[in-house]
Structure formats: structure tokens, C-alpha cells
Amino acid sequence: MKRSMMTRSMKYSLAGLVLLFTTAHFARAQDFTPAQMTAKAKARNVPEIPFDSAPNFLKLPPNLYLGEGIGVATNSKGHIFVYTRSQETRLFEFDRTGKYIREIGEGLYGFAFAHAVRVDAQDNIWAVDEGTNMVIKFNPQGRVTMLLGRRPEAVEGVVATPPAGTPEPPAKPYTFNRPTDVAWDAAGNIFVSDGYGNSRVVKYDKNGRYIASVGSKGPEPGKLNLPHSIAADAKGNVYVGTGATNESRSLTMI
């Protein structure tokens, strides 16, 4: 992202930045020692990243308003994708100068409450929608090519609240509970942070076939407290940022 698009404030602080695993050992996270799972980062006096402010950078057509821009990403051309919440969830594309190009997925069934937008190495656009429990893949032309997750049907009615103390039901391979983000490794495997409800990370192959799941809700080592963002590096390591309301920082390497 250009420096001009950066801001000093973040909507969510990160209580922990967790290096979960290499992709080759995704299903073996429990093999690590307690000492490895509780190691803390020692970084201090980290400098601020300099940036320039560009007011009104995005140029919208008349009578079109941005609303709450909850997710932003860029592709190989420098085009900017903004996933917004307002009266309805919408996904907009702008060129590198901020000029409006198009809306993607207008009226899509999988759009209800935006959370993140990402662009992969092939310039496919991925929208993570917390409200519909879906991750939607668009090709560069803006056509839907893959769906992960499922939107609850209105005809099913409101799910009854279980009695206090009832154990959480096990998470299902292809069902999310308020997902938050998506990332990929060099092989194209897909990693979804299934955040607010299931507090886990789910791995799929490049075709969307379930491979494994790691994590569950809780403060204990090996568990996750609201996985809120996710990224993978060139070596196949997967990093998860956990959301919280305080200002603490930690780095756990497993």
C-alpha cells in the first residue's frame, strides 16, 4: 500500500502476533514444547513508519459514498480495492490515482457485513464477509469463481441459545463463524482465520478442499483469542494477529 494511504490509527489493536506453524507441519502444532509456545518478543524502541496524508484521495462518482471502509487491498497494477460497510456492504475498485473504476459483486448474496478484502498473486480478489460467514473469490474480471463457507438461510429461523455451561459444538470443515481474514502460501493453499466464533485457522488446498484446522477459543497455549488477521511469508510460515482491547504486544514462535 502506498504511504499516502496509511494512517496512524488502527481499528483493532493486536494483543498477540502468533507464528503458528510452517505449512508442512500445519496439523502438528501440538508437537511443540511449552517453552516454545510461550516465547515472547523482545523488540523495543521500534521507530514509527513515516507517511504522508492525501485527503480525498479516492474519487467517487456523484451520489456514491464510501461508508465505513473496513478493508483495503491492492493488485499488481496498483489498483485499490475497498470493502465497505454502510447501509449495505459493497466492494469498490479504484485505479492507482484514486479514480473510481467499478463496483464488484453488486447485490451479491454473500455480502452482508464486510470484514476484509485481499488480492492474491494472480490478482484474484477475495472478500471475507463476517455477516454471511463466507469467503468469496472473484477473478480479475470480477466474476465469482469460488465460495468458502455458507450463509445461514433465513427460513431456518433463529438458532436457540443453548443453556449456560453448554460446551461449544465442534467447528465444521466448511462452516465458519464470523470469519475475519484470508491468506495463501506459495503453493496456493488457502488459510482462513475463522475468528469471532470458532477462534481457529482453517487450511484448504487451492481448489477449496479442506485439509486441516488448528486452534480453538481460549487463553491457554495452543489456543487463539479471536484470530483477527492472517498472513503467510515466502517460507510458508503462517502468522495470525489476535484481536483485543488492550495495548499489549507479544510474539509467540512455534
Side-chain angles (χ1 to χ4, degrees), residues 77-245:
K77 298 177 181 178
H79 288 192
I80 304 158
F81 299 86
V82 182
Y83 200 24
T84 74
R85 300 172 184 170
S86 52
Q87 290 185 343
E88 55 184 328
T89 288
R90 305 174 79 169
L91 177 59
F92 300 122
E93 180 180 356
F94 303 83
D95 72 11
R96 63 189 312 133
T97 69
K99 180 182 177 182
Y100 177 84
I101 295 177
R102 60 175 173 166
E103 180 174 357
I104 299 172
E106 183 178 2
L108 191 71
Y109 184 70
F111 284 179
F113 196 63
H115 200 280
V117 60
R118 301 290 185 185
V119 178
D120 65 22
Q122 292 74 44
D123 277 349
N124 299 300
I125 307 130
W126 298 67
V128 181
D129 197 284
E130 176 191 343
T132 63
N133 296 322
M134 295 179 70
V135 178
I136 304 145
K137 176 185 177 182
F138 300 89
N139 66 14
Q141 292 72 44
R143 296 181 179 179
V144 175
T145 59
M146 183 186 294
L147 299 171
L148 295 173
R150 174 177 176 268
R151 180 172 184 165
E153 299 290 346
V155 295
E156 295 174 354
V158 178
V159 178
T161 302
T166 302
E168 289 284 340
K172 299 178 181 180
Y174 296 100
T175 302
F176 303 131
N177 190 337
R178 301 177 67 192
T180 54
D181 208 349
V182 63
W184 313 269
D185 62 15
N189 293 311
I190 306 161
F191 298 85
V192 176
S193 53
D194 189 13
Y196 286 88
N198 291 326
S199 288
R200 61 173 180 162
V201 173
V202 196
K203 179 181 180 181
Y204 303 91
D205 70 12
K206 63 182 180 181
N207 298 310
R209 297 187 184 93
Y210 174 82
I211 296 177
S213 174
V214 168
S216 59
K217 186 179 295 186
E220 300 87 358
K223 293 191 175 184
L224 297 170
N225 182 14
L226 205 173
H228 204 268
S229 59
I230 190 167
D233 64 20
K235 296 180 179 179
N237 300 310
V238 178
Y239 301 81
V240 178
T242 59
T245 56

